[in-house]
Amino acid sequence: VTHHILIGADAYDYTLDQIQNRFRPSLANPNGINVLNPVYGQLPVVGPFTSTLEKQKATGFYVQDQMDLSEQWKFLAGVRVDHFDQNLRDRIASVTTKQNKTATSPRVGLVYEPSKTVSVYASYSKGFRPNSGQNAAGVAFEPEFSSSTEIGTKLQSEDERLSATIALYRARKSNMLTSDPVNTGFSIAAGEAESKGLEFDLAGKINDDWSIMLAYANTNAKITKASLDVNFGFSLPVGSQLINIPKDSANLLLNREFRFGSGARLSLGGGLTYVGERLGETGVPTFQLPAYTLISLMGSYAPTERLSFTLNVNNAADRVYYPSSYARAWVAPGSPRATTLRVQYKFR
């Protein structure tokens, strides 16, 4: 048995200073402003809603061993230990909440390689992530836990220029932040969701001049624990879809390289990004954001080894699209056409 051992550690120090003031219309005038007959110059007085100072310190340690049991079989086992300290000061309520947590996350995997061009694998892992913020009582949220299972196959051409992966996966999360069913405008760490689907990607060189990147994902993301969105009065039963997650999405990028006798290089390429329909408001299955396809163009020219020019055009067709939303009243428009030209010179 041959061992490939990986040992590592990481840490972070995080500070979030947040102040939010707001005004909400009365029940007698829920819209606040009559857009058909607005009255100018009458600004409402905003009051304090959130004023917190949060500090997190975390350290992580991990060890992993990939064991080559034979030429065809490989087994991976690893574990990660995380510890974090959180200090959250609510300046409005003059309350300080402290908590520290330690979590152990295992990881296992098995790979079978019947040939040099084909491998089949399966893996299982757990995850841990602190939640930032506090609930209506001023208490810091419990951390988020996750688990994921994946099986798939990896294919590689004989010349190792092209590689592809097909995978089936299921991921679950608990203690996700969700709307507080009692206190409007606040959240609680009680949400549970599941995402499962299929992913396919292909990358590499078709020949000496052409390269390709292709990715496709079929995703089914849903709620696995019933809850109530008190902000909009929606009941969210088990099986409700998560917002802003398309069932189908895909990316394609093709690139062509040209070489000249003097050593100059020219590269021209283009790409397509497709995002399918997706739920745009929690609890309202009829409100769907429309699917869209974006075109991108790119090119680069290097007359010498030191000098190069790069041109990128995103959303080349200047398509109007909506990548995400919070609700029907909060829909984010996509970026219009953007052109970027970069010039780079290397002195050495």
Side-chain angles (χ1 to χ4, degrees), residues 279-292:
L279 187 65
E281 182 173 340
T282 300
V284 185
T286 57
F287 183 67
Q288 298 281 331
L289 296 180
Y292 62 86

Side-chain angles (χ1 to χ4, degrees), residues 13 17 40 54 78 81 109 119 141 154 158 246 252 318 334 342:
D13 191 335
D17 192 345
Y40 296 96
E54 179 180 355
V81 179
S119 64
F141 296 120
K154 294 184 178 181
E158 291 284 352
L252 172 64
D318 203 19
R342 292 184 178 90

Side-chain angles (χ1 to χ4, degrees), residues 263-281:
R265 303 187 311 275
L266 174 65
S267 175
L268 298 175
L272 295 174
T273 298
Y274 171 78
V275 177
E277 284 191 350
R278 58 231 175 269
L279 187 65
E281 182 173 340

Side-chain angles (χ1 to χ4, degrees), residues 116-127:
K116 293 183 178 180
T117 60
V118 179
S119 64
V120 181
Y121 69 92
S123 66
Y124 173 80
S125 62
K126 285 189 173 182

Side-chain angles (χ1 to χ4, degrees), residues 192 222-227 235-241:
E192 294 183 6
K222 61 183 179 181
I223 294 172
T224 56
K225 182 179 179 181
S227 61
S235 176
L236 304 176
V238 173
S240 300
Q241 296 296 308

Side-chain angles (χ1 to χ4, degrees), residues 299-315:
S300 65
Y301 176 64
T304 67
E305 292 185 357
R306 293 187 176 185
L307 180 63
S308 63
F309 303 87
T310 303
L311 179 67
N312 292 323
V313 183
N314 295 323
N315 191 9

Side-chain angles (χ1 to χ4, degrees), residues 69 133 213 225 230 249 281 317 342:
L69 306 179
M213 291 182 62
K225 182 179 179 181
V230 69
S249 60
E281 182 173 340
R342 292 184 178 90

Side-chain angles (χ1 to χ4, degrees), residues 273 275 278 289-295 314-315 318-324 331-337:
T273 298
V275 177
R278 58 231 175 269
L289 296 180
Y292 62 86
T293 301
L294 301 181
I295 300 173
N314 295 323
N315 191 9
D318 203 19
R319 174 78 180 273
V320 176
Y321 68 102
Y322 306 96
S324 63
V331 179
S335 300
R337 181 192 297 118

